[in-house]
Amino acid sequence: MKKYEIAKILGVDTKTLNNWKENRKELYEIVMKHFENNSEYPDLNNPNYLKQEMIKAIDKLPEHKTKKFYHLMMAELAEMGI
C-alpha cells in the first residue's frame, strides 16, 4: 500500500507520516507494519458493515452486558426521536 493511501485512511497528510518517520519512529513503524500485515480494510462508511460488526460484538457479550447495551442504544434512539 502506498504512503498516500495510508495517509488517506488515517485522515492525515503524507507530510504527517514523514514527520512521524523522522520524529516519532516507533509510531511510524507500528503504523506501517500494521498496513503491511493487513491487506483488507473495512469500509467504515458502510452502514451494513458497521451493523454486522456491532452484531458480532454484541453476540460476544454476556447476557447482562447485552441488556445494558440494548438499554443504552434505545435511550440514544429515544433522545433522537426515533
Side-chain angles (χ1 to χ4, degrees), residues 18-67:
N18 292 329
N19 286 337
W20 291 352
K21 187 175 183 179
E22 292 297 316
N23 303 313
R24 301 184 73 188
K25 291 177 172 72
E26 286 182 22
L27 174 62
Y28 179 81
E29 288 176 22
I30 290 168
V31 168
M32 298 310 283
K33 200 170 270 195
H34 169 78
F35 285 97
E36 286 173 13
N37 294 337
N38 294 306
S39 58
E40 279 188 42
Y41 303 100
D43 181 1
L44 298 178
N45 294 315
N46 180 345
N48 291 326
Y49 170 78
L50 297 175
K51 290 174 192 175
Q52 289 171 354
E53 290 301 303
M54 289 168 57
I55 290 168
K56 284 184 209 173
I58 290 170
D59 283 344
K60 294 177 185 175
L61 294 173
E63 186 177 325
H64 70 283
K65 290 288 186 180
T66 301
K67 289 178 182 177

Side-chain angles (χ1 to χ4, degrees), residues 60-76:
K60 294 177 185 175
L61 294 173
E63 186 177 325
H64 70 283
K65 290 288 186 180
T66 301
K67 289 178 182 177
K68 177 182 177 181
F69 275 93
Y70 168 79
H71 291 293
L72 288 170
M73 185 178 70
M74 296 309 284
E76 188 70 27

